[in-house]
Amino acid sequence: MYIYGHKNPDTDAIVSAVVASRLYKALGYECQALRLGELNKETQFVQEYFGFAIPELKEALPDGSQVVLVDHNEISQSLDNLNELEIFAIIDHHKFNLKTSSPLNIRAEIIGSTASILYKMFVENSIEIDKQTAGMLIAAIISDTLYFRSPTSTEQDREIVEKLNKIAGIADLETFSLQMFDAKSDLSEFTPEQIITMDYKPFDFNGKKFCIGVMETTSPDFALNMQQQLIEAQVKIKSENNLDGLLFFVVDILHEQSTAITCSEFETQTVLEAFEASQVSEQILNVGSIVSRKKQIVPILEAYFS
Amino acid sequence: MYIYGHKNPDTDAIVSAVVASRLYKALGYECQALRLGELNKETQFVQEYFGFAIPELKEALPDGSQVVLVDHNEISQSLDNLNELEIFAIIDHHKFNLKTSSPLNIRAEIIGSTASILYKMFVENSIEIDKQTAGMLIAAIISDTLYFRSPTSTEQDREIVEKLNKIAGIADLETFSLQMFDAKSDLSEFTPEQIITMDYKPFDFNGKKFCIGVMETTSPDFALNMQQQLIEAQVKIKSENNLDGLLFFVVDILHEQSTAITCSEFETQTVLEAFEASQVSEQILNVGSIVSRKKQIVPILEAYFS
C-alpha cells in the first residue's frame, strides 16, 4: 500500500508519510511512502538534517490501489482519483470531508500535528522509536505548531516533543526551530506564483470556491517588499483557476502577527469585515494575532460566508 | 457532552453509548449516554441480563451542543441538526460520510463492532473494565458479528471476547448468543411497519434514495408466514417517504442464509440481477449466504447502480 501526505506538502505531511511507512512496516504491512509535490525549504532543511530518504513523487495511482492518507482526508488535497482508490487508513488532525464506500481505519485527534498521533501509535503498539524517527517527528511537531506558538498546539504536543527528545537528543530545540523557520523563510529563488501556492489549500465557503495561501516566515518584510508582484501573481492564479476568492496571509511566526496581501476589492472587503482587520495600505491589511489557517482563518471565513 | 448511537439502535449502538460514557467519565469528561430510538428485543434482553441503566431517549439537542457519535458517522443516521452540533469524537466501524467544520477525534477500524474498539480504548488508557461492562461489550460484539458468523467479524473480535469473558465469566457463550438471537426473533408484538423499520438504514445509490431493512432472526418462518403484510407495509413506507427503492432482507442467523421480500417489480428485478438471486415465489427471493448489510448488501447495490 502507498502512504501519502497532502498536495503542497509541508514538513508534517512528508515526515508523517515516511514515519507512517515505518510504523506499518513494523506492523507487518508492505508499504511505501510517496508524495504529491515538491518539498518546501523547511522540509529540505529537515531532510538534510536527519538524512532520511525523500519519498518518491507519484501524482497518480491506478484505480483500486490501496492507500493510507496522512495529514489530510479531503479529496481536494489528495490524489485526483481518490474515490476510485481503497483507503486503508487515515491519520489526521484536520476537519473532515470524507465519503467512502467501505469501512476503514481512522485515527484523528484534536492535536497540533499528525506526527503527535504517530508517536502515540508507536507507543500503543509497543514499537521502538529510533533516533532518526524521533528527530523527524519533533521537526514535524515544531513545524505544524510553530514551536508551540499556534493555537492548534496542545499540551500533549509539548509533552510528546519532550519524550521524543530523550531519544533524539537535539541539544537546543529553540535554536533548531529557528533554523527550520529561517530555512522556510528563504524564498529568494522562488517566483511570486510559487510563493503564493507553496502552502496553499482549496476551500468551499457556502458554494464559493476559495484558495488560501499562507507564508509562515521569520522575515515578513521579504513579502511586503515584493507586494506588487505577489498581488499580480494572485490575480493571475485566481483568474486561471476560476476562483471566487484567493487570500494570501503572511504570518510573522516570531511576533505571532499576520498581514493579508489582497488581490482585489472583494478580498479586501472580505478580510476587513471578516477579520475586523486594519488597513495598512489599499491592499495590505493587518489581521492581528491570527496565525492558524485551520483554527482561525478558515472558521472565521466559514462563519462570515454562512 | 452527549453520547449517541444511531437511529433504530441495535445492541452495539446502545451498549457502545453506555460504555463510551463510562470511558470518557474515567478520562475526566462530564458526559451522558442518550439514544435516538427504542431498544429492540435483543437489546432489552441484554439490558435485563446485565441490569444497566437504559440511556434516556432524547431526539433533539440545541445547536452547538457537544456530542460523541458511536457506531455511526452519517447525518442520516444521527441527530437531524448534526451539522449545527460540535462533534467531539466518533467511534465507529462503518463506511464514512462526514463533513465537519473543525478537527475532531475519530477512532474507526475495520472490525466487527464498535464495542471491540471501545475495549481497545480502555486497554490503551489503562482503565479497568468491570464485570458488567465486560459482559455488555461481549453482548454487543456477539450481536454485531452474529456470534462470529458475519463476514464483518475479524479474528480480533474473537480474541477480545475471549479476554473480556475472563472478566465477565459468562459460562456458555454459545447458549448466551442463542438467547440473544431468540429474543431478537420474538417479533410477535410488533406491527409489520415496525418489523420493516426495526433495523433500517437509508442509503443513496447513485442518486437513488433507498432504505434497507434487515431482520436477523433464528425464526425466518415468522416473516415468511406474514409475507403479504410485510409487502403491504413496505409499499406504504416506500410511498410515504418518497423512496426510489425499499428492500427488506430476512437473515437466517443460524443457517447464514437470507431471503428478500420485495415490494414491487423494481425491487424484484434489482435483487434478481444485483444478487443473482433465485425466485422462490413472485416476491420471495433467495439471495444465498448474504448476511451483512454493510459488507455484502450495500457494496453489491453500490456496484449495481454505479
Side-chain angles (χ1 to χ4, degrees):
Chain A
M1 63 198 188
Y2 303 102
I3 306 186
Y4 276 101
H6 51 78
K7 286 179 180 169
N8 300 311
D10 57 9
T11 301
D12 197 24
I14 295 290
V15 162
S16 291
V18 174
V19 172
S21 78
R22 294 178 182 176
L23 172 73
Y24 282 113
K25 276 177 193 156
L27 291 171
Y29 294 90
E30 214 173 287
C31 60
Q32 188 186 355
L34 296 170
R35 65 184 159 91
L36 290 175
E38 298 309 322
L39 271 56
N40 71 29
K41 286 275 184 181
E42 180 193 83
T43 313
Q44 285 176 31
F45 166 81
V46 169
Q47 186 273 323
E48 282 159 25
Y49 192 98
F50 295 107
F52 62 88
I54 301 174
E56 197 185 313
L57 179 74
K58 194 165 185 177
E59 300 188 281
L61 285 181
D63 285 0
S65 305
Q66 201 176 38
V67 291
V68 172
L69 308 183
V70 296
D71 203 36
H72 73 296
N73 66 80
E74 307 199 23
I75 184 170
S76 60
Q77 298 168 15
S78 199
L79 292 132
D80 294 335
N81 67 335
L82 184 63
N83 289 337
E84 267 50 69
L85 303 177
E86 183 195 336
I87 308 176
F88 174 72
I90 295 177
I91 307 167
D92 194 14
H93 68 131
H94 293 90
K95 69 191 176 77
F96 266 69
N97 187 0
L98 175 71
K99 196 170 184 327
T100 71
S101 53
S102 320
L104 72 167
N105 300 292
I106 307 182
R107 184 66 183 255
E109 297 194 18
I110 305 167
I111 202 164
S113 74
T114 298
S116 302
I117 305 173
L118 280 165
Y119 166 81
K120 294 188 184 188
M121 294 174 79
F122 271 82
V123 172
E124 283 160 14
N125 288 286
S126 306
I127 297 168
E128 208 190 323
I129 298 176
D130 63 39
K131 188 173 171 168
Q132 187 195 54
T133 301
M136 291 165 67
L137 289 172
I138 289 174
I141 298 171
I142 287 177
S143 171
D144 252 35
T145 64
L146 301 176
Y147 197 50
F148 313 127
R149 287 181 184 89
S150 169
T152 59
S153 184
T154 70
E155 196 47 42
Q156 289 186 77
D157 297 292
R158 274 184 193 275
E159 288 164 9
I160 289 169
V161 165
E162 202 171 299
K163 283 177 192 159
L164 283 169
N165 208 27
K166 293 201 173 112
I167 306 169
I170 298 169
D172 184 344
L173 285 175
E174 173 84 38
T175 303
F176 177 66
S177 76
L178 285 175
Q179 288 175 306
M180 283 176 53
F181 298 147
D182 281 341
K184 174 151 58 179
S185 306
D186 172 18
L187 300 177
S188 50
E189 66 185 59
F190 294 101
T191 65
E193 281 87 351
Q194 287 173 322
I195 292 173
I196 300 294
T197 57
M198 193 159 284
D199 183 353
Y200 183 76
K201 289 186 179 172
F203 296 92
D204 184 297
F205 297 126
N206 208 2
K208 287 197 165 50
K209 204 174 145 196
F210 262 76
C211 279
I212 304 175
V214 166
M215 172 183 174
E216 294 169 346
T217 181
T218 55
S219 315
D221 284 348
F222 178 85
L224 296 173
N225 289 338
M226 59 185 290
Q227 53 182 268
Q228 205 46 50
Q229 293 137 283
L230 291 171
I231 290 167
E232 282 160 22
Q234 288 182 71
V235 169
K236 185 159 172 275
I237 297 165
K238 184 181 167 186
S239 149
E240 282 174 1
N241 294 280
N242 291 316
L243 299 174
D244 295 309
L246 193 166
L247 290 170
F248 180 66
F249 293 87
V250 180
V251 178
D252 181 340
I253 302 173
L254 302 181
H255 300 96
E256 300 177 42
Q257 287 281 324
S258 295
T259 303
I261 303 181
T262 53
C263 63
S264 89
E265 185 57 28
F266 169 64
E267 283 82 359
T268 304
Q269 281 309 316
T270 299
V271 172
L272 281 174
E273 290 171 19
F275 296 87
E276 298 179 13
S278 59
Q279 211 152 5
V280 178
S281 65
E282 203 185 329
Q283 287 169 285
I284 304 291
L285 310 174
N286 181 345
V287 294
S289 60
I290 299 285
V291 297
S292 167
R293 177 168 48 202
K294 179 166 86 171
K295 194 140 182 177
Q296 296 170 318
I297 296 171
V298 170
I300 286 170
L301 289 169
E302 275 183 338
Y304 178 73
F305 285 111
S306 78
Chain B
M1 64 198 187
Y2 302 102
I3 306 185
Y4 276 100
H6 51 78
K7 286 177 180 170
N8 299 312
D10 57 10
T11 300
D12 198 25
I14 295 290
V15 162
S16 291
V18 173
V19 173
S21 78
R22 293 177 183 176
L23 173 71
Y24 283 113
K25 276 177 192 156
L27 291 170
Y29 293 91
E30 213 173 287
C31 59
Q32 188 186 356
L34 296 170
R35 65 185 159 89
L36 290 173
E38 298 309 320
L39 270 56
N40 71 28
K41 286 275 184 182
E42 179 194 84
T43 312
Q44 285 175 31
F45 166 80
V46 169
Q47 185 271 325
E48 282 159 24
Y49 192 98
F50 296 106
F52 62 88
I54 300 173
E56 197 185 312
L57 179 73
K58 193 166 185 178
E59 299 188 282
L61 284 181
D63 284 0
S65 305
Q66 200 176 37
V67 291
V68 172
L69 309 183
V70 296
D71 203 35
H72 74 296
N73 65 81
E74 307 198 23
I75 184 168
S76 60
Q77 297 169 16
S78 198
L79 292 132
D80 294 334
N81 67 334
L82 184 63
N83 288 337
E84 266 51 68
L85 303 177
E86 183 194 336
I87 309 177
F88 174 72
I90 295 176
I91 307 166
D92 195 14
H93 68 132
H94 294 89
K95 69 190 176 78
F96 266 70
N97 186 1
L98 176 70
K99 195 170 185 322
T100 71
S101 52
S102 321
L104 72 166
N105 300 292
I106 306 181
R107 184 65 182 257
E109 296 193 22
I110 305 167
I111 202 163
S113 74
T114 299
S116 301
I117 305 174
L118 280 166
Y119 166 80
K120 293 188 184 187
M121 293 174 78
F122 272 81
V123 172
E124 284 161 12
N125 288 287
S126 306
I127 298 168
E128 207 189 324
I129 299 175
D130 63 39
K131 187 173 172 169
Q132 187 195 54
T133 302
M136 290 164 67
L137 289 172
I138 289 172
I141 298 171
I142 287 176
S143 171
D144 252 35
T145 65
L146 301 176
Y147 197 51
F148 314 126
R149 287 179 183 90
S150 170
T152 59
S153 184
T154 70
E155 197 46 42
Q156 289 185 77
D157 297 292
R158 273 184 194 274
E159 288 164 10
I160 289 169
V161 165
E162 202 171 298
K163 283 176 191 159
L164 283 169
N165 207 27
K166 292 200 174 114
I167 306 169
I170 298 169
D172 184 345
L173 285 175
E174 173 84 37
T175 303
F176 177 65
S177 77
L178 286 175
Q179 288 176 304
M180 282 176 54
F181 299 147
D182 281 341
K184 175 152 58 179
S185 307
D186 171 19
L187 300 176
S188 50
E189 66 185 59
F190 294 101
T191 65
E193 281 86 349
Q194 286 172 322
I195 292 172
I196 299 294
T197 57
M198 193 159 285
D199 183 353
Y200 183 77
K201 288 185 180 175
F203 296 91
D204 183 297
F205 297 127
N206 209 3
K208 288 197 163 52
K209 203 174 146 196
F210 261 78
C211 280
I212 305 176
V214 165
M215 172 182 174
E216 293 169 347
T217 180
T218 54
S219 316
D221 284 348
F222 178 85
L224 295 173
N225 288 338
M226 61 186 288
Q227 53 182 268
Q228 206 45 52
Q229 293 138 282
L230 290 172
I231 290 168
E232 282 160 21
Q234 288 182 70
V235 170
K236 184 159 173 274
I237 297 166
K238 185 182 166 185
S239 148
E240 283 174 357
N241 295 279
N242 291 314
L243 298 174
D244 295 310
L246 193 166
L247 290 169
F248 180 67
F249 293 87
V250 180
V251 178
D252 181 340
I253 302 173
L254 302 182
H255 300 96
E256 300 177 41
Q257 287 281 325
S258 295
T259 303
I261 303 181
T262 53
C263 64
S264 89
E265 185 57 26
F266 168 65
E267 283 81 359
T268 304
Q269 280 310 314
T270 299
V271 171
L272 281 174
E273 291 171 19
F275 296 87
E276 297 177 16
S278 59
Q279 211 153 6
V280 178
S281 64
E282 203 186 327
Q283 288 170 282
I284 304 290
L285 311 174
N286 182 346
V287 294
S289 61
I290 299 284
V291 297
S292 168
R293 176 168 48 201
K294 180 165 84 171
K295 194 141 181 173
Q296 297 171 318
I297 295 171
V298 170
I300 287 170
L301 290 168
E302 275 183 338
Y304 178 73
F305 285 110
S306 77

